[in-house]
């Protein structure tokens, strides 16, 4: 493989996954031998470099001889060949000799630790031009359940910051299956990989790992635009075949599930058009947004039973999978989660907002991001507190807690049921010697095992739509923002991204009725603002990029919030044209009358939803 070489800087600019490295002959003999051993392949380069070289994180790859230089210098190049995450202590990098991303632990802003280097006995230094030095520091901690590199160790204490797991997807079906089968399991974070390239039909590489690394470093708004553009590239044009979905509004859930679960994954990138039977509205954007909103409301309604609010009392707006939702194991209940996954994936692919926030570890599972001990707090803060208390006890005090390797959970069929954390767990008492294993098993149970069937179908359904490499550029907070939109309303942003037409066209925001309108909206509670936005645009959420990113259709065309002034004699109440994010606002005689009509509209008429030809 050829490289472009800049001899003045002693740097190799990589192509694909290769990196160049030279030995510094000024080092002592021991260091020179070690550096040469890396070049010869007898020592894994990525095992020691980690993710931080001064301020150059995320460099990994296999080592190539660079012998055309007379004076050898230990150099790492390709600043572009990295990802710069520093969220939750983890970041992605490239596996040695492969083109797959792996997770590595970030120990500080500038120094990283590769998982293979955990518990190394010596600190190994690498010298770079301008005295750039990175060291792999010794730490004590477990990777996985009391193991380092898969080797059991009874000397390592459970480390809440280091023990982490990543979901692994194994597909067992084919792309021709309507609902491809597969499994999702938890594996130690250092063993998890993800493709660092995207192939499209025919084996053509659409994105390389360099494309993904460069996109990841963009500001969030630019990154979001990049993602939308990539989805648009994958979209099948309307006239190449689109999907027409007809549902009854009163049976929207049943009709929609029957329609969408009859589609193959390859049809998820087609344009979907919706019709509510008995309604005259044509779907040029508004009907589709209304469908996504209503289907989301049904699926995430706690009374429906698939989801429940978080047990963390400070975050009860977040939704957590109801463990009892898959209890019947009939397959039909779990299929609802495959449906949910497809809906969330399609909404993300089409740029639709689904303002139903899930607990943090759900987004991590979608991304394949490491889940760790701290995530338990947002699922069940009582379990989180009790596990912390167990870890804080002296070793000889643990046995007096009086628990075994089981948990008790609510059951639809049995009232309460006993679940063993490991085979024979009911006969294993918690002691100081097995405390670390107990906490590790309890963590995995809370974050995955208790909802394994549901989470498996949710993840598989999501990736029936979204190619996994596209998501590698986001962290879990960015993914939530992209899917759910903003949770607050920036009035200045709203007003700046509003257009005026009709009787408001000439004066725009200075027209007295426009002034009254914004004064009224600004006085609204967040709930009333959400209802107004829902009435006008078909969704109650604000896109992550703000009101300037409101779109009209599945192809992402921007359609700004619009106030259309109409005669008071023509209309009594405001009406909307959701396909174009337009509010038809009668020019009322005074502010009080406008307020009364808007409140009446949102508090009463919003119960009667539907589309006519207007």
């Amino acid at each position: 493989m050829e490289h472009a070489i800049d001899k003045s800087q002693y740097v190799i600019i990589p192509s694909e996954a290769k990196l160049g490295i030279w030995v510094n002959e000024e080092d002592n003999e021991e260091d020179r031998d070690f550096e040469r051993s890396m070049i010869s392949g007898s020592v894994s380069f990525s095992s020691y470099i980690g993710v931080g070289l001064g301020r150059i994180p995320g460099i990994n790859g296999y080592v190539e001889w660079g012998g055309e230089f007379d004076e050898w210098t230990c150099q790492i190049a390709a600043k572009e060949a990295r990802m710069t995450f520093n969220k939750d202590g983890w970041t992605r990098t490239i596996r040695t000799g492969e083109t797959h991303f792996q997770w590595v632990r970030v120990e500080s802003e500038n120094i990283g630790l590769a998982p293979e280097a955990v518990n190394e006995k010596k600190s190994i230094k690498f010298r770079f031009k301008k005295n750039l030095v990175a060291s792999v520091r010794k730490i004590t901690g477990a990777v996985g359940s009391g193991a380092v590199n898969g080797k059991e160790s009874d000397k390592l204490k459970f480390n809440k910051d280091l023990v982490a797991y990543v979901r692994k997807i194994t597909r067992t079906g084919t792309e021709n299956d309507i609902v491809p089968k597969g499994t999702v399991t938890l594996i130690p974070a250092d063993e998890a990989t993800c493709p660092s390239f995207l192939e499209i039909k025919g084996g053509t590489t659409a994105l390389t790992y360099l494309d993904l690394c460069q996109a990841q470093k963009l500001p969030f708004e630019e990154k979001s635009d990049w993602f939308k553009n990539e989805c648009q590239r994958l979209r099948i044009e309307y006239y190449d075949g689109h999907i027409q979905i007809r549902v009854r509004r009163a049976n929207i859930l049943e009709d929609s599930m029957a329609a969408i679960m009859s589609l193959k994954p390859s049809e998820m990138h087609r344009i979907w058009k919706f019709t509510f039977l008995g309604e005259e509205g044509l779907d040029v954007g508004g009907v589709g947004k209304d469908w996504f909103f209503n289907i989301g409301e049904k699926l995430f309604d706690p009374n429906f039973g698939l989801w429940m609010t978080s047990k963390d009392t400070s975050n009860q707006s977040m939704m957590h999978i109801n463990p009892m939702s898959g209890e019947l194991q009939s397959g039909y209940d779990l299929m609802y989660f495959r449906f949910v996954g497809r809906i969330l994936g399609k909404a993300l692919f089409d740029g639709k907002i689904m303002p139903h926030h899930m607990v943090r570890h759900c987004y991590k599972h979608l991304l394949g991001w490491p889940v760790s001990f701290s995530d338990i707090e947002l699922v069940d803060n009582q379990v989180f507190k009790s596990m912390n208390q167990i870890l804080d006890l002296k070793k000889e005090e643990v046995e007096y807690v009086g628990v075994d390797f089981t948990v008790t959970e609510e059951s639809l069929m049995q009232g309460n049921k006993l679940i063993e954390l490991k085979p024979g767990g009911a006969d294993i008492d918690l002691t100081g010697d097995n405390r670390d294993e107990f906490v590790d098993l309890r963590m995995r149970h809370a974050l995955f095992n208790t909802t394994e069937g549901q989470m498996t179908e949710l993840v598989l359904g999501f990736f029936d739509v979204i190619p996994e490499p596209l998501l590698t550029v986001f962290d879990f907070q960015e993914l939530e923002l992209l899917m759910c939109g903003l949770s607050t309303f920036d009035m200045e942003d709203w007003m700046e991204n509003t257009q005026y037409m009709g009787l408001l066209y000439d004066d725009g925001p200075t027209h007295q009725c426009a002034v009254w309108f914004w004064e009224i909206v600004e006085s609204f509670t967040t709930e009333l603002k959400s209802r107004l936005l829902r009435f006008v645009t078909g969704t109650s959420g604000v896109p992550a990029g703000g009101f300037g990113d409101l779109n009209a259709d599945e192809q992402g065309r921007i359609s700004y919030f619009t106030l259309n002034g109409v005669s008071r004699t023509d209309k009594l109440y405001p009406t909307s044209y959701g396909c174009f994010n337009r509010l038809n606002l009668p020019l009322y005689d005074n502010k009080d009358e406008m307020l009364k009509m808007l409140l009446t509209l949102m508090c009463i008429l919003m119960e009667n939803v539907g589309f006519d030809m207007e």
Side-chain angles (χ1 to χ4, degrees):
M1 183 165 298
E2 296 182 356
H3 297 279
I5 300 176
D6 181 354
K7 292 185 178 181
S8 65
Q9 296 297 318
Y10 294 93
V11 169
I12 281 187
I13 307 302
S15 176
E16 299 301 328
K18 287 193 175 183
L19 300 172
I21 181 169
W22 289 265
V23 174
N24 186 343
E25 285 296 324
E26 295 179 1
D27 289 347
N28 60 44
E29 187 63 32
E30 180 183 5
D31 285 346
R32 289 203 306 272
D33 288 343
F34 179 78
E35 289 158 0
R36 288 195 183 100
S37 67
M38 288 195 299
I39 292 174
S40 67
S42 59
V43 175
S44 171
F45 180 52
S46 69
S47 296
Y48 299 97
I49 287 299
V51 295
L53 303 173
R55 298 191 62 82
I56 310 178
I59 305 299
N60 273 307
Y62 60 87
V63 180
E64 183 181 49
W65 176 244
E68 59 263 50
F69 288 97
D70 295 332
E71 180 180 350
W72 303 338
T73 305
C74 183
Q75 275 282 357
I76 303 298
K79 295 182 182 180
E80 71 272 23
R82 71 188 191 273
M83 287 199 167
T84 56
F85 290 121
N86 191 4
K87 287 282 182 71
D88 220 24
W90 294 93
T91 193
R92 292 186 195 266
T93 187
I94 298 293
R95 288 186 67 88
T96 304
E98 299 180 12
T99 53
H100 281 65
F101 288 124
Q102 71 168 346
W103 288 106
V104 287
R105 180 75 186 171
V106 176
E107 289 304 301
S108 70
E109 181 181 358
N110 298 328
I111 296 178
L113 181 70
E116 298 91 340
V118 174
N119 211 34
E120 277 297 317
K121 293 183 178 179
K122 67 183 251 184
S123 178
I124 303 165
K125 296 182 179 180
F126 294 88
R127 296 169 178 82
F128 302 96
K129 195 162 182 141
K130 298 181 181 179
N131 296 318
L132 184 61
V133 176
S135 65
V136 176
R137 299 178 299 169
K138 175 183 176 181
I139 65 167
T140 299
V143 178
S145 180
V148 176
N149 287 338
K151 297 179 181 179
E152 294 298 326
S153 172
D154 57 4
K155 297 179 181 180
L156 297 179
K157 184 179 183 300
F158 182 91
N159 189 309
K160 293 184 290 185
D161 297 322
L162 293 179
V163 177
Y165 293 91
V166 172
R167 59 99 181 113
K168 177 184 178 181
I169 301 174
T170 303
R171 296 264 187 188
T172 57
T174 69
E175 61 180 11
N176 294 321
D177 295 335
I178 294 177
V179 183
K181 295 181 180 180
T183 61
V184 175
T185 55
L186 277 190
I187 60 175
D190 63 314
E191 298 177 11
T193 65
C194 172
S196 61
F197 57 91
L198 175 62
E199 289 186 347
I200 56 179
K201 196 169 184 179
T204 303
T205 300
L207 292 171
T208 68
Y209 81 97
L210 287 178
D211 296 323
L212 296 173
C213 289
Q214 290 167 359
Q216 185 274 322
K217 292 181 289 183
L218 295 172
F220 177 70
E221 290 188 7
E222 295 180 31
K223 191 186 304 185
S224 299
D225 290 339
W226 174 89
F227 178 80
K228 293 174 186 176
N229 290 335
E230 293 304 321
C231 289
Q232 188 61 34
R233 288 176 59 194
L234 295 173
R235 193 182 315 280
I236 299 173
E237 294 295 331
Y238 181 87
Y239 292 107
D240 289 333
H242 62 279
I243 305 296
Q244 186 69 48
I245 299 175
R246 297 178 174 86
V247 299
R248 298 164 293 174
R249 188 175 289 276
N251 299 84
I252 183 173
L253 190 57
E254 297 82 358
D255 292 354
S256 298
M257 184 170 176
I260 291 169
M261 295 312 296
S262 67
L263 300 177
K264 296 179 180 179
S266 59
E267 296 175 299
M268 298 296 154
H269 292 172
R270 295 189 185 277
I271 292 174
W272 293 1
K273 291 295 183 180
F274 297 91
T275 299
F276 285 103
L277 297 177
E279 300 176 19
E280 298 180 350
L282 299 177
D283 187 9
V284 291
V287 179
K289 288 186 288 185
D290 183 60
W291 180 86
F292 274 104
F293 177 86
N294 280 284
I295 206 70
E297 290 288 287
K298 294 283 188 181
L299 290 171
F300 284 90
D301 183 355
N303 293 322
F304 187 62
L306 298 183
W307 298 83
M308 58 190 294
T309 55
S310 171
K311 292 182 180 180
D312 176 10
T313 55
S314 64
N315 290 280
Q316 290 191 328
S317 62
M318 296 188 299
M319 307 302 294
H320 172 49
I321 294 175
N322 184 349
M324 292 186 287
S325 60
E327 189 171 315
L328 297 179
Q329 298 295 326
S330 63
Y332 186 75
D333 294 327
L334 293 179
M335 194 56 63
Y336 266 113
F337 284 93
R338 187 63 164 255
F339 178 57
V340 172
R342 286 187 169 189
I343 295 301
L344 293 178
K346 183 61 174 175
L348 181 61
F349 188 83
D350 285 352
K352 301 294 192 297
I353 298 297
M354 296 288 283
H356 308 281
H357 294 262
M358 300 179 290
V359 289
R360 183 173 62 198
H361 78 279
C362 289
Y363 295 103
K364 289 186 174 183
H365 283 320
L366 290 179
L367 282 177
W369 192 284
V371 293
S372 57
F373 185 83
S374 62
D375 292 310
I376 302 175
E377 185 175 15
L378 299 180
V379 179
D380 192 326
N381 55 0
Q382 292 301 316
V383 171
F384 179 73
K385 290 177 181 178
S386 66
M387 291 301 102
N388 269 307
Q389 291 170 352
I390 290 174
L391 288 172
D392 290 339
L393 290 174
K394 295 179 180 179
K395 183 176 180 179
E396 62 271 16
E397 296 174 340
V398 176
E399 62 182 287
Y400 297 110
V401 175
V403 298
D404 53 27
F405 275 54
T406 64
V407 294
T408 301
E409 293 185 348
E410 295 182 49
S411 169
L412 287 173
M413 310 296 292
Q414 306 169 36
N416 286 315
K417 62 179 179 180
L418 195 69
I419 300 175
E420 293 186 325
L421 296 175
K422 62 183 295 186
D427 299 320
I428 303 173
D429 292 327
L430 173 63
T431 66
D433 291 329
N434 61 24
R435 166 175 52 185
D436 297 340
E437 181 186 15
F438 174 81
V439 176
D440 181 78
L441 290 171
R442 190 68 181 87
M443 179 185 79
R444 283 188 276 168
H445 180 79
L447 298 178
F448 183 75
N449 294 349
T450 188
T451 56
E452 179 178 356
Q454 299 95 313
M455 185 61 71
T456 294
E457 294 302 328
L458 177 71
V459 170
L460 291 176
F462 190 75
F463 289 115
D464 281 345
V465 186
I466 303 291
E468 187 174 6
L470 282 185
L471 293 181
T472 58
V473 304
F474 298 107
D475 63 47
F476 53 91
Q477 292 172 323
E478 291 174 329
L479 180 62
E480 180 180 11
L481 183 58
L482 196 64
M483 293 174 65
C484 302
L486 299 170
S487 57
T488 58
F489 292 86
D490 184 334
M491 290 304 302
E492 184 177 348
D493 177 53
W494 196 346
M495 294 170 67
E496 287 180 353
N497 288 286
T498 294
Q499 295 182 341
Y500 299 85
M501 60 184 299
L503 299 179
L504 294 175
Y505 178 78
D506 291 334
D507 296 331
T510 63
H511 191 286
Q512 185 61 64
C513 281
V515 172
W516 289 339
F517 175 80
W518 291 118
E519 289 176 349
I520 290 171
V521 174
E522 195 160 11
S523 70
F524 279 173
T525 63
T526 300
E527 180 184 357
L528 286 177
K529 289 173 183 174
S530 296
R531 287 194 179 193
L532 174 64
L533 190 64
R534 155 90 173 100
F535 177 71
V536 179
T537 69
T539 179
S540 60
V542 182
F547 283 90
D549 278 354
L550 283 177
N551 61 48
D553 57 23
E554 63 285 326
Q555 297 185 56
R557 287 187 283 256
I558 298 299
S559 180
Y560 292 101
F561 187 90
T562 302
L563 287 178
N564 177 37
V566 298
S567 172
R568 170 70 174 78
T569 58
D570 294 337
K571 293 184 181 295
L572 177 62
Y573 291 102
T575 58
S576 68
Y577 197 178
C579 296
F580 297 106
N581 301 330
R582 183 188 305 164
L583 177 67
N584 301 315
L585 182 68
L587 302 188
Y588 296 106
D589 295 331
N590 57 73
K591 180 179 176 181
D592 290 340
E593 184 183 17
M594 182 182 293
L595 173 61
K596 177 182 177 181
M597 294 303 177
L598 283 171
L599 288 176
T600 302
L601 173 74
M602 288 181 290
C603 296
I604 298 177
L605 298 184
M606 278 292 291
E607 300 300 323
N608 299 316
V609 292
F611 283 81
D612 56 25
M613 287 303 294
E614 182 182 10

